[in-house]
Amino acid sequence: MTFLTRPRRRLLSVFELLAPAFLLAFATVLHAVSVHGTVTDPLGYPIANATVALVQNGRVLVNGSTGPDGAYTLVSSESGRFYVLASGISFRQLATESFFGGRFDGVEQNIVLEPEWVRESVVVTATGVPQPQAQVSGAVTELTAADFGNRASLSDPLRQVPGVNVVQTGQWGGETSLFIRGGSSTANRVVMDGVPVEDIGGRFDFGNVATTGIQDVEVYRGPNTVLYGSDAAAGVVAVTTPRGSTSFPSLLYEGDAGNFGTYRNQAQLAGMMRKLDYYAGASSLYTQNAMPDDGYHDNTAVANLGWSLSAKTQIRLTGRGSDSATGLPSANGGYSFNVFPNDGKQLDQDTYGTGTIDHTFRDNWHATVRYGLVRKREESEQWYPAGIPVAGNYYGNDVTVLGANGYSTSGQALMNYGTSFGAIYPYSLALASNRDNLYAQTSYEHGPHLGVIAGFRYGDERGLEGEPVYAYREGLERTNYDYQAQVGGEFKNRFFYTAAGGVEKNQLFGTVGTPRGGASWYVVRPGRGAIHGTRLNVNFAKGYQEPTLDQQFGSLYSFLLANGGQSTIAQYGIAPIGAELSRSYDGGIEQSLFSEKVIARVTYFHNEFGNQIEAVPASVVPQLLPNLTPAQQQQLEAFLNNNFAYELDLNSMAYQAQGVESEVEYGLGKDIFLRGGYTYLDAVVQQSFSSDAIGPSTNPNYPAIPIGNYSPLVGARPFRRPPHTGFTSVIYTGKKWSGVVNGAYASRSDDSTFLGGDDVNFGNTLLLPNRNLDYAWAKIDLGATYQWKPWMAVYTQLDNLTSNQHIGPIGYPSLPLNFRTGARFTLSLGKKQ
């Protein structure tokens, strides 16, 4: 009895002593947040013994290491906002985005570590869900804060993307277009925080997009209308707004000034507090530019608010608004065609907004619902008919225009029609483009070999065009919806694939289906060695693009049908305005060199762009109505010009664009990063209404040379697509000094002066041969920053160091050497400095 009783009493005593500790530990586990996941390299291989830490308010709560399978679990009794810090041998340290975790919550945070020397980002545009760039077969380039540097506008950073040609018609604030792999400037879908923001029909002006409130930009080259709908016929440009990431309010202010009366101010505030993260930014830019009456200003405001209902459900609201105005010194073409400032101005008011709900059902099952709002207003104003009066109209000075091809012409170009020709001043043209977009997407991963994405998009588009002085006002509404599905996965962390399809019902042109597929195979996995790491990529896709407002309103088919032109419609097979189509396939190789310090990529692409919309000048339209007398034809032309219907449109052009795109990245130590790229483009027109029906124009001074006035001729290149483009970039990041030297280059390209019928005799003497009309150019920019104090830095940005005047197309002189110098201040509110 004694023997049995003593141990029992001893055990009871020990239990009584340890019970409070057990209960405390048990209660801590019950009230703990558990953060788990895996740490992998860009190919999905687990990284063992990687260091992971759970951080809150800048303080490490708990740390640990990954197991052989790359898995980790971090448990804390705290709740609120956290982020995970991870690092491994030969990998760059990475911090996840902040997330909310409450007691009893289990939060998954999978982490992909990037190589120490080169960039291997996680991108979204290729597949619709975050995926390491090393697993994506499509061509995607991500621009980050290091690429923006001291930039005020998004235009120049976009020149640092292979396969992309940026064309700016003018100086600060001049209309800026993007041509991707030979596609048209309207064939690109532009999304901000997942919402399409381009005008109806794809037109988007990058010239008035400030870098304020931009965290990163992804540029996807190739059709991707499966995920993004119409207008993604040549590529996608995706802009992301920053989020607050500090536990205290962080305030950033910078101000600078430069030549040409330029000054800029910018302020940003960001932070997070428990379930809330917030960001707000505002900037103002003003410049006089280097041409008369060409002042430009832009005011931009951006906001991003995130709220975590729980660890599994987040709500996010973003908004961006800009108000800009620029002078229009050029009339009816470039300023160099008249050297007489036009009295005009263009105003743009753009508002974008998103509301998103993300929910995680399980670690492998996610869903997103997003509403997008776009309100764009554009107004062009002309106060009086600037120019020199000649025979009732107004012309520029007598000038000589020299093309890069050596051909030249002299004379006076038409600037404005006079009142005797029916013109009314002051004149204004108002355009409105509104979008309301609802998008729902769900993604499910069934192991590493199969992931499924399904989505639905509903869009309501409303457009308006008005000319008050002519009592003209025309509007439209398109209600469109599309379905999409995509599967993807990997095998043995070497082969990655994607297959997708989409169907859209467009109110204007009916139902269109688009397939897309891609695969990536690592013949040799990246690793240590001079030549170690070989990947092969292949992609195929089809895309489509809807017409713009002007193209639908100015349909040649509708005009002929209403004016007795049925025989012309039948003769040339003219159809109602419809969708433009694209087809693309590409294949390439990526090679890692010197233990992943260098990555080289070479890709061949072959694109077909069919059913493209082509402009027919108003001077030619009367010829398409053979029943009219010469006097009636002249009256009709005057009527079209007086109503600013300078052209009518139809789907009549087709062209091919193939080429080779190359890029090299080199991490030279931890402080220097080098990039360079070269693209060869061979684009040729296969079908053109200007050639087949109208016939080419001719300049009497060059009677043997056929000229495309409004559009290129069969056998020629599409306008403003140079066959050779390239870029270079050197980024240095030191403790005190940092700097960026960028170069962008382009060879000569085909173009037109677009001045057919615009000399003093309404003739074509101001036309020049299309071939190589635009000049080759090189643009070199330098940005430098000195961190004088932890809270203060001084910086300077010098653009166009060689004062090249031919960076824009013919007729549009570029801004010469220009600079801005200023200071940047950082203040952490509520934190001891």
Side-chain angles (χ1 to χ4, degrees), residues 512-529:
V512 178
T514 52
R516 183 173 67 87
S520 184
W521 176 41
Y522 281 86
V523 181
V524 179
R525 173 180 159 79
R528 295 188 176 277

Side-chain angles (χ1 to χ4, degrees), residues 465-477:
E465 181 177 338
E467 298 170 280
V469 297
Y470 296 105
Y472 169 77
R473 182 183 176 92
E474 190 168 7
L476 63 78
E477 181 173 7

